[in-house]
Structures are given as C-alpha cells and as structure tokens.
Amino acid sequence: MTWKAELWRPIEGFERSYEVSNLGRVRGLDRRAICRDGRSFLIPGRLLVPCRSGVMRETNYMKAQLYRNGRKKQILVHRLVARAFIPNPRGYYDVNHKNCRRDDNRASNLEWCTKLINNRHARDNGRLSIGEDRYNAKLTEKVVRAIRRSGERDCLLADRHGVSKSTIFAVKSRKTWRHVA
C-alpha cells in the first residue's frame, strides 16, 4: 500500500492548538498553558485518538475532543477534514462519505453536498432505512396500502392504527411511504 504525503492544516477556531490532516487524523500542537496561579508549562503535541461516544457511537461517526479556554468541544472529524481541504463554493452544509464508510475520513473520500444528495447516496447504497425497516416504523406496507384504499375519515384510521391524523394524511397524499405502490 502506498501512502500519499500527509498534509496538515490548522483547525479553524483552534489554529494555535490543533491541526487536521488530509488523511483524517487530528493532532494537538505544542503549546503553553497557564495555571490559575500564573505559572506556565509546556503541553507537548500529540496525535489525538478519535472516539465514538454518546449518540455518535451508534452512527459510527468519529469525533475529536478539542479544548479551548478550558472548555471541551467535540467536533466530527469528517467535518474538520472537509473544512480544511475541500472547497465549498456552493455553501453546502452536509459532508458525504463517498465510499459509505463513516470511519474513513480521508479528504479524497469526502465531498460537500446537500441533505437531499446525501440521503439519496445513502439510500442508493443501502445505508438508509425506509418504510418497515426503520426502527421507529408504526405502519407496515400492507397497512399503508389499506389506508390508501380506504374511504374512512383520517381520524378513525389514526385511532385504529395508533398514529396521528397528520400521519394518515401524509400516507394518503404520498408525502411518506412513497416507495409503496
């Protein structure tokens, strides 16, 4: 395996303390810290170990814990890499992992995109659950078809299926469950 040269750039807002590389690594720089009593000491730089914790553990996104003025800030590594290495002339907000691996934060694997493009990419690559496959689905495809054929009032259907009237309306008007014929 051949490695490209690793390029390092300062992290916006943390320029004097941290850098991010085009290979998706984050490092702290040598810096001086001041104690409360006024003494200063050197904190040697080192590579940071990205972590998966809290909500991010389930999503497999890697994040780095950065400190400024004694306060911790947890930032997603792919966003740090994208801000530092990928131009964003259209001002898109989302960052897409081209190979669908959320722990692969190399600049060559990332691209700025819209939420719609990101969701389509996830769906097309089997990474986005829809319909019954969603963890919080209350309806099945069979029930959705029955709701669409039914001439009953939305409030009665909502009570019967344990959902809101707006959910029934969204199913009937095909705002949701569009994949069901």
Side-chain angles (χ1 to χ4, degrees), residues 72-167:
K72 175 173 68 172
K73 185 159 185 166
Q74 297 181 355
I75 304 176
L76 296 168
V77 174
H78 67 279
R79 296 193 65 77
L80 293 174
V81 174
R83 283 188 197 129
F85 292 97
I86 303 170
N88 188 8
R90 292 195 171 127
Y92 291 149
Y93 182 76
D94 282 21
V95 179
N96 182 38
H97 289 82
K98 295 176 188 176
N99 69 359
C100 295
R101 291 192 47 216
R102 295 173 177 171
D103 60 349
D104 183 357
N105 294 312
R106 293 172 296 130
S108 61
N109 182 48
L110 303 174
E111 64 185 351
W112 289 102
C113 64
T114 64
K115 176 77 74 188
L116 178 66
I117 291 169
N118 205 3
N119 285 338
R120 279 188 184 150
H121 181 261
R123 185 192 66 217
D124 293 346
N125 289 283
R127 305 273 305 173
L128 187 66
S129 301
I130 59 172
E132 293 178 58
D133 295 336
R134 291 199 45 94
Y135 71 95
N136 61 346
K138 294 183 179 171
L139 302 173
T140 64
E141 291 184 11
K142 183 178 178 182
V143 169
V144 167
R145 286 188 194 95
I147 289 171
R148 288 183 179 153
R149 284 192 307 265
S150 173
E152 290 185 70
R153 292 181 24 217
D154 290 358
C155 59
L156 295 174
L157 290 168
D159 288 342
R160 180 178 308 135
H161 298 292
V163 295
S164 67
K165 289 187 291 185
S166 60
T167 298

Side-chain angles (χ1 to χ4, degrees), residues 26 48-57 60-66 73-78 80 102 105:
V26 180
L48 301 184
V49 178
C51 61
R52 295 181 179 112
S53 63
V55 175
M56 297 306 151
R57 187 178 300 145
N60 278 333
Y61 287 115
M62 305 303 291
K63 63 182 175 178
Q65 295 182 9
L66 308 182
K73 185 159 185 166
Q74 297 181 355
I75 304 176
L76 296 168
V77 174
H78 67 279
L80 293 174
R102 295 173 177 171
N105 294 312

